[in-house]
Amino acid sequence: MKEHAISESMSAILEIEQIVQHIHQKYQNFDEGDVATYIPELAKANPGHFGICLATVDGRVVRAGDWEHEFTIQSICKPFAFQMALEEFGREDTLARVGVEPSGDAFNSIELDPKTIRPFNPMINAGAIAISSLIKKKPAESGVRAFVQKMQRAAGRPLRIDPEVLASEEVTGNRNRAIAYLMLNCGIIDGEVDETLHQYFSQCSLLVNCQDLAMMAATLANMGTNPFTGEMVFDFRYIKDVLTVMFTCGLYDHAGEWAYRVGLPAKSGVGGGILGVVNRQLGIAVYSPRLDAKGNSVRGILACKDLASELGLHAFEFTNVGSNFMQSML
Ligand code: DON
């Protein structure tokens, strides 16, 4: 019985490996989209890079292409910062600063929800800056360190901030400054605007590779426990909050289309990463720095669509082939 289960599990992982390699090959030479240039350091990314990594909650990893290449996490820091705020301040105090409504607008819109006078959600810049204001610490570097440490535990390896990207963010971040001052004016954040923005820019400048993101996603999928180190990283009581907001708001003004076509909680970043979570099953990460007009990775979206359909991962997939794959591995 046991041997049978092991051989089924081996064939499932081999099948997933083949699917991932095939999807990588399929889009390898696809060159639509452009690397982000509004933060000058990001313009240095190699547009040809393309990596995929899947990490399962039972500790297996499938990798393809440039999975090892490091890039900055950018907005993929936002769900994790939201999780940290919930853990430290609880639901009521956190949601007093930020809503959970999709905005339908661009990530960097200078706007608040006119009904609540709060940022629409923690995945857009306004919401993420409000969260950074909450989780920053004194001195400012200790808040940054707390974030990096949490992310290291989720990735299962030491991580660092890219000082060049951080400097580039600080120099060109006037739109984020405008959002922060709007929120100061409305009483959402405190007067330590520079410290808040330093926290936010630092979070965005964390260097990760596809495997790190897949491990982080797998840690969320595994109710907060890193499946590789066994360490409890996130308080499981708040993971449903985070996954819900990722599902409805993680891809900004592409969120509805994403939920329809891919059907997974996910988050994109202008560095070119996309992280997706298959609850209780696996973490997905794709890296490709060519972005569409909405700031989402073009090949990242294509690869995730294919993965979701070929592995049956959509949350409302009635065949749920993904579940069968995973169950046969456990
Ligand atoms: O706020 C910014 O401009 C960036 N540091 C992060 C933006 C980002 O990744 C948007 N996501 N697609």
Side-chain angles (χ1 to χ4, degrees):
M1 217 30 203
K2 184 98 184 135
E3 263 173 33
H4 175 67
I6 289 170
S7 67
E8 265 194 5
S9 129
M10 287 305 291
S11 77
I13 202 84
L14 284 175
E15 198 167 344
I16 294 174
E17 289 236 28
Q18 279 171 2
I19 289 171
V20 169
Q21 292 298 340
H22 170 75
I23 292 171
H24 187 268
Q25 265 166 24
K26 179 173 168 190
Y27 296 117
Q28 172 74 1
N29 298 315
F30 193 85
D31 64 359
E32 261 177 36
D34 297 298
V35 303
T37 52
Y38 76 98
I39 299 168
E41 273 301 306
L42 296 184
K44 295 182 181 167
N46 179 341
H49 277 153
F50 180 33
I52 304 178
C53 183
L54 268 55
T56 70
V57 295
D58 69 337
R60 291 160 207 250
V61 188
V62 174
R63 309 180 278 220
D66 303 304
W67 64 270
E68 219 170 348
H69 180 77
E70 287 189 332
F71 53 94
T72 51
I73 191 166
Q74 294 298 331
S75 285
I76 304 170
C77 68
K78 292 170 179 172
F80 297 104
F82 182 44
Q83 170 81 26
M84 286 178 71
L86 288 165
E87 289 180 6
E88 192 175 344
F89 299 96
R91 242 168 234 131
E92 200 181 326
D93 287 355
T94 304
L95 296 182
R97 313 285 184 105
V98 64
V100 291
E101 280 307 325
S103 70
D105 291 321
F107 67 87
N108 56 2
S109 291
I110 305 176
E111 65 177 358
L112 299 175
D113 182 339
K115 293 196 202 95
T116 62
I117 322 295
R118 281 176 311 179
F120 277 98
N121 65 70
M123 303 294 115
I124 54 169
N125 288 13
I129 293 167
I131 292 295
S132 291
S133 162
L134 270 181
I135 66 171
K136 71 178 182 322
K137 304 231 176 306
K138 270 197 178 98
E141 283 318 318
S142 69
V144 174
R145 212 166 25 249
F147 174 78
V148 175
Q149 277 166 358
K150 189 85 157 173
M151 300 307 277
Q152 292 183 157
R153 291 165 59 207
R157 72 161 186 131
L159 299 175
R160 70 197 164 89
I161 283 168
D162 184 327
E164 272 88 37
V165 173
L166 175 57
S168 204
E169 298 249 9
E170 306 248 19
V171 168
T172 57
N174 287 331
R175 204 175 165 93
N176 286 324
R177 258 173 221 112
I179 294 171
Y181 278 103
L182 171 66
M183 292 196 292
L184 173 62
N185 181 59
C186 296
I188 295 159
I189 63 169
D190 61 38
E192 294 170 345
V193 175
D194 288 344
E195 290 80 355
T196 291
L197 287 165
H198 180 68
Q199 176 79 26
Y200 173 69
F201 292 141
S202 303
Q203 289 168 192
C204 291
S205 305
L206 185 74
L207 281 167
V208 290
N209 63 29
C210 269
Q211 181 166 289
D212 299 325
L213 289 184
M215 299 281 195
M216 291 172 188
T219 301
L220 289 176
N222 197 35
M223 291 175 288
T225 298
N226 182 318
F228 298 83
T229 63
E231 194 189 350
M232 220 236 268
V233 181
F234 301 122
D235 185 334
F236 69 89
R237 288 173 300 173
Y238 298 114
I239 289 179
K240 78 171 167 47
D241 303 53
V242 173
L243 294 183
T244 305
V245 179
M246 286 168 74
F247 193 79
T248 52
C249 313
L251 271 86
Y252 313 116
D253 37 343
H254 187 72
E257 186 75 18
W258 174 272
Y260 186 74
R261 309 245 172 236
V262 182
L264 293 175
K267 187 71 206 80
S268 62
V270 289
I274 294 187
L275 167 154
V277 179
V278 187
N279 200 23
R280 313 291 169 96
Q281 294 186 48
L282 77 155
I284 298 174
V286 184
Y287 169 61
S288 170
R290 286 184 187 274
L291 309 179
D292 62 20
K294 294 175 176 173
N296 299 318
S297 168
V298 176
R299 285 189 294 191
I301 289 178
L302 291 170
C304 287
K305 266 189 202 159
D306 281 21
L307 281 168
S309 83
E310 294 199 32
L311 295 173
L313 303 177
H314 192 294
F316 310 121
E317 180 69 71
F318 75 95
T319 53
N320 215 341
V321 182
S323 289
N324 295 341
F325 267 137
M326 296 308 146
Q327 268 157 24
S328 64
M329 297 201 313
L330 299 174

